[in-house]
PDB file of all heavy atoms in Angstrom:
ATOM      1  N   ALA B 538       9.483  23.534 -53.887  1.00 98.00           N
ATOM      2  CA  ALA B 538      10.934  23.530 -53.874  1.00 98.00           C
ATOM      3  C   ALA B 538      11.430  22.101 -54.103  1.00 98.00           C
ATOM      4  O   ALA B 538      10.708  21.127 -53.809  1.00 98.00           O
ATOM      5  CB  ALA B 538      11.447  24.077 -52.547  1.00 98.00           C
ATOM      6  N   PRO B 539      12.653  21.943 -54.610  1.00 97.00           N
ATOM      7  CA  PRO B 539      13.174  20.599 -54.913  1.00 97.00           C
ATOM      8  C   PRO B 539      13.084  19.657 -53.726  1.00 97.00           C
ATOM      9  O   PRO B 539      13.577  19.964 -52.632  1.00 97.00           O
ATOM     10  CB  PRO B 539      14.632  20.883 -55.303  1.00 97.00           C
ATOM     11  CG  PRO B 539      14.630  22.285 -55.785  1.00 97.00           C
ATOM     12  CD  PRO B 539      13.606  23.008 -54.955  1.00 97.00           C
ATOM     13  N   GLY B 540      12.397  18.539 -53.910  1.00 95.00           N
ATOM     14  CA  GLY B 540      12.262  17.529 -52.866  1.00 95.00           C
ATOM     15  C   GLY B 540      11.376  17.917 -51.702  1.00 95.00           C
ATOM     16  O   GLY B 540      11.351  17.219 -50.686  1.00 95.00           O
ATOM     17  N   LYS B 541      10.648  19.018 -51.842  1.00 97.00           N
ATOM     18  CA  LYS B 541       9.825  19.522 -50.730  1.00 97.00           C
ATOM     19  C   LYS B 541       8.341  19.454 -51.057  1.00 97.00           C
ATOM     20  O   LYS B 541       7.937  18.939 -52.111  1.00 97.00           O
ATOM     21  CB  LYS B 541      10.207  20.986 -50.426  1.00 97.00           C
ATOM     22  CG  LYS B 541      11.659  21.175 -50.070  1.00 97.00           C
ATOM     23  CD  LYS B 541      12.031  20.482 -48.776  1.00 97.00           C
ATOM     24  CE  LYS B 541      13.469  20.776 -48.383  1.00 97.00           C
ATOM     25  NZ  LYS B 541      13.886  20.046 -47.167  1.00 97.00           N
ATOM     26  N   GLY B 542       7.524  19.979 -50.129  1.00 97.00           N
ATOM     27  CA  GLY B 542       6.086  19.966 -50.291  1.00 97.00           C
ATOM     28  C   GLY B 542       5.578  21.164 -51.082  1.00 97.00           C
ATOM     29  O   GLY B 542       6.332  21.876 -51.755  1.00 97.00           O
ATOM     30  N   LEU B 543       4.273  21.376 -51.008  1.00 98.00           N
ATOM     31  CA  LEU B 543       3.587  22.377 -51.817  1.00 98.00           C
ATOM     32  C   LEU B 543       3.314  23.634 -51.000  1.00 98.00           C
ATOM     33  O   LEU B 543       2.906  23.555 -49.838  1.00 98.00           O
ATOM     34  CB  LEU B 543       2.278  21.780 -52.326  1.00 98.00           C
ATOM     35  CG  LEU B 543       2.458  20.539 -53.196  1.00 98.00           C
ATOM     36  CD1 LEU B 543       1.169  19.735 -53.273  1.00 98.00           C
ATOM     37  CD2 LEU B 543       2.920  20.946 -54.593  1.00 98.00           C
ATOM     38  N   GLU B 544       3.525  24.788 -51.625  1.00 98.00           N
ATOM     39  CA  GLU B 544       3.319  26.081 -50.972  1.00 98.00           C
ATOM     40  C   GLU B 544       2.463  26.965 -51.854  1.00 98.00           C
ATOM     41  O   GLU B 544       2.857  27.306 -52.974  1.00 98.00           O
ATOM     42  CB  GLU B 544       4.656  26.768 -50.685  1.00 98.00           C
ATOM     43  CG  GLU B 544       4.505  28.115 -49.984  1.00 98.00           C
ATOM     44  CD  GLU B 544       5.807  28.915 -49.891  1.00 98.00           C
ATOM     45  OE1 GLU B 544       6.799  28.548 -50.556  1.00 98.00           O
ATOM     46  OE2 GLU B 544       5.821  29.927 -49.147  1.00 98.00           O
ATOM     47  N   TRP B 545       1.291  27.359 -51.346  1.00 98.00           N
ATOM     48  CA  TRP B 545       0.467  28.343 -52.050  1.00 98.00           C
ATOM     49  C   TRP B 545       1.119  29.710 -51.947  1.00 98.00           C
ATOM     50  O   TRP B 545       1.566  30.102 -50.853  1.00 98.00           O
ATOM     51  CB  TRP B 545      -0.929  28.397 -51.435  1.00 98.00           C
ATOM     52  CG  TRP B 545      -1.768  29.492 -52.011  1.00 98.00           C
ATOM     53  CD1 TRP B 545      -2.514  29.440 -53.148  1.00 98.00           C
ATOM     54  CD2 TRP B 545      -1.920  30.815 -51.494  1.00 98.00           C
ATOM     55  NE1 TRP B 545      -3.129  30.653 -53.366  1.00 98.00           N
ATOM     56  CE2 TRP B 545      -2.776  31.515 -52.365  1.00 98.00           C
ATOM     57  CE3 TRP B 545      -1.409  31.487 -50.380  1.00 98.00           C
ATOM     58  CZ2 TRP B 545      -3.138  32.840 -52.150  1.00 98.00           C
ATOM     59  CZ3 TRP B 545      -1.761  32.808 -50.162  1.00 98.00           C
ATOM     60  CH2 TRP B 545      -2.620  33.467 -51.041  1.00 98.00           C
ATOM     61  N   ILE B 546       1.181  30.453 -53.067  1.00 98.00           N
ATOM     62  CA  ILE B 546       1.819  31.760 -53.002  1.00 98.00           C
ATOM     63  C   ILE B 546       0.931  32.921 -53.446  1.00 98.00           C
ATOM     64  O   ILE B 546       1.128  34.057 -52.992  1.00 98.00           O
ATOM     65  CB  ILE B 546       3.157  31.811 -53.771  1.00 98.00           C
ATOM     66  CG1 ILE B 546       2.993  31.384 -55.217  1.00 98.00           C
ATOM     67  CG2 ILE B 546       4.207  30.967 -53.071  1.00 98.00           C
ATOM     68  CD1 ILE B 546       4.264  31.568 -56.038  1.00 98.00           C
ATOM     69  N   SER B 547      -0.073  32.674 -54.290  1.00 98.00           N
ATOM     70  CA  SER B 547      -0.866  33.802 -54.752  1.00 98.00           C
ATOM     71  C   SER B 547      -2.124  33.325 -55.442  1.00 98.00           C
ATOM     72  O   SER B 547      -2.159  32.209 -55.961  1.00 98.00           O
ATOM     73  CB  SER B 547      -0.047  34.643 -55.746  1.00 98.00           C
ATOM     74  OG  SER B 547      -0.783  35.743 -56.229  1.00 98.00           O
ATOM     75  N   TYR B 548      -3.165  34.182 -55.451  1.00 97.00           N
ATOM     76  CA  TYR B 548      -4.287  33.952 -56.351  1.00 97.00           C
ATOM     77  C   TYR B 548      -4.724  35.252 -57.011  1.00 97.00           C
ATOM     78  O   TYR B 548      -4.483  36.343 -56.503  1.00 97.00           O
ATOM     79  CB  TYR B 548      -5.455  33.237 -55.682  1.00 97.00           C
ATOM     80  CG  TYR B 548      -6.394  34.054 -54.805  1.00 97.00           C
ATOM     81  CD1 TYR B 548      -7.044  35.200 -55.260  1.00 97.00           C
ATOM     82  CD2 TYR B 548      -6.697  33.626 -53.518  1.00 97.00           C
ATOM     83  CE1 TYR B 548      -7.912  35.920 -54.458  1.00 97.00           C
ATOM     84  CE2 TYR B 548      -7.563  34.334 -52.707  1.00 97.00           C
ATOM     85  CZ  TYR B 548      -8.162  35.478 -53.176  1.00 97.00           C
ATOM     86  OH  TYR B 548      -9.028  36.178 -52.370  1.00 97.00           O
ATOM     87  N   SER B 549      -5.383  35.051 -58.155  1.00 96.00           N
ATOM     88  CA  SER B 549      -6.036  36.126 -58.886  1.00 96.00           C
ATOM     89  C   SER B 549      -7.512  35.772 -58.988  1.00 96.00           C
ATOM     90  O   SER B 549      -7.860  34.643 -59.352  1.00 96.00           O
ATOM     91  CB  SER B 549      -5.421  36.240 -60.287  1.00 96.00           C
ATOM     92  OG  SER B 549      -6.227  37.049 -61.114  1.00 96.00           O
TER      93      SER B 549
END
Side-chain angles (χ1 to χ4, degrees):
Chain B
K541 302 295 184 183
L543 300 161
E544 181 189 12
W545 174 85
I546 55 174
S547 180
Y548 79 55
S549 166

